[in-house]
Amino acid sequence: MPRAVGALVRTGGYVTCAVQPADAQVARDAGARPVVVSDPTRTTDVLAGLARSGLSVGDFAAVCSGLEFCLLDAAAVADLGRVASDGPAFTRALAMRDKFVQKRIVRDAGVRTANCAVLEESGSAATALPSFPQVLKPLDGGGARNTFLVADERELTAAVAEVAGSGGGPWLLEEYVPGVEFQVDGFVEGGEIRLLSISRYVQNLIEVHDGGLVAHIVLPPHSHPDLYAKVEALAETAFKALGHRDGVFHLEVFQHAEDGEIVFGECGARVGGGRTDEVVERAFGVRLHDVWARSAIGRPSGVTGSPRHADGTVFGGMNLSARPGLVRAVPSADDVLAQPGVVYADVAAAPGTVLPDTTEATNLRAGAAVVSGADEHEVEARMRRLADWFAAQVAYETAEGATEGAG
């Protein structure tokens, strides 16, 4: 890489080089401006890195690579530059995926969100943000994987060393927002929010790393009118700034512990995971995947009127988890459905499969369930009992071939 960059510099050009964190200083020493990305061989990473740096492909006279494995991606980026890669479609997609770009856009629009910084190289961690606690996470990750809550500079240094050792980066560093976390699901059509479903997480998602229950409960709008009004106002401003006028959304927000105001977390133009589709269909009668599909091909949502929350019943979705290991026996979906309040069950684990460590990410699980109840408190109580029951029913193979219970 240094020889290729040096040759470009000698042509008299101003060279920008997409590199991984470990190669940033090498690029500087060779005379290039580094744009730090996770993987220079991925077109999406390069385009996102340019956007974070305030650049677009159209700013460059040429796009090239001297590395064999980057040749096709360099050609793709060059072609995108010729057809205005920073046009509306690309801009919208990037804004709904890269967490730093997204937060910058909504903050500029006046939406409250966490202060954040891109951590391109591990050595710059100490000066990225002024105060603690902080959260370190991937720029385009998911499921709270490789996400760390750090209380001081010592913990931050250790967390950065852990993620840097895995070869990843760059990373997002943001201030920690204290308070209750909510997931917000629905869809917009013609710039208007047509469905807004707010669910309270039983435990904030970052608590999964300490064994927290991954579960959410839809809050009936008539029981939480102030919360719905505040979240809708935030979402309207954020979606307008992000250019998200048509399609589904999955939004994460916090209610700040100190002043009760709503803080933007992050947003995706997708159906939420963890059987959010099953929960929303039961709570509001809308099939989010159908809305997504019709929007994707340019058709109207097909949803008429204003979807109303199901009267008298509250629904929530949850992960079914157990400790990692080689499974000998596990409850069936029918066994789960027989538990109080369960209206949907999906068990992916089976005898002979190995359960992963579900504390690593929220999208790792043995199964999923939708639980109903008369109110959110009954749903939460049933969820906690179901989580304990399921984990206790899983049996494992030991090294000697005997059976071992999960309890």
Side-chain angles (χ1 to χ4, degrees), residues 229-324:
K230 288 181 176 180
V231 171
E232 184 169 15
L234 177 144
E236 285 178 344
T237 304
F239 293 159
K240 183 177 180 180
L242 295 166
H244 190 53
R245 291 182 47 82
D246 291 283
V248 298
F249 60 82
H250 176 66
L251 169 66
E252 307 280 349
V253 301
F254 296 86
Q255 187 166 36
H256 203 286
E258 295 179 1
D259 57 24
E261 292 306 306
I262 304 301
V263 182
F264 179 95
E266 57 189 60
C267 186
R270 61 176 177 84
V271 177
R275 295 282 63 90
T276 290
D277 55 346
E278 296 284 347
V279 176
V280 170
E281 183 176 355
R282 285 167 173 79
F284 290 94
V286 175
R287 293 182 176 180
L288 287 178
H289 278 105
D290 286 358
V291 174
W292 168 83
R294 295 178 69 89
S295 176
I297 62 175
R299 292 183 181 176
S301 66
V303 177
T304 58
S306 299
R308 295 185 65 253
H309 185 271
D311 293 333
T313 306
V314 174
F315 298 91
M318 65 178 292
N319 283 2
L320 299 173
S321 301
R323 64 177 176 84

Side-chain angles (χ1 to χ4, degrees), residues 127-217:
T127 58
L129 291 178
S131 61
F132 289 92
Q134 300 172 8
V135 177
L136 180 71
K137 62 173 67 172
L139 280 159
D140 60 352
R145 186 184 292 274
N146 292 326
T147 300
F148 301 83
L149 174 60
V150 295
D152 51 36
E153 190 171 328
R154 179 186 59 80
E155 290 188 5
L156 175 59
T157 300
V160 170
E162 182 171 340
V163 295
S166 67
W171 309 273
L172 184 72
L173 193 61
E174 63 182 29
E175 64 177 334
Y176 171 71
V177 178
V180 179
E181 185 177 10
F182 301 89
Q183 76 169 58
V184 186
D185 302 281
F187 72 95
V188 291
E189 191 167 23
E192 176 188 355
I193 296 176
R194 294 286 313 284
L195 170 65
L196 190 75
S197 169
I198 302 177
S199 296
R200 172 180 62 83
Y201 283 114
V202 172
Q203 293 180 248
N204 286 7
L205 288 183
I206 200 167
E207 295 180 40
V208 67
H209 303 303
D210 297 318
L213 176 62
V214 179
H216 62 96
I217 302 169

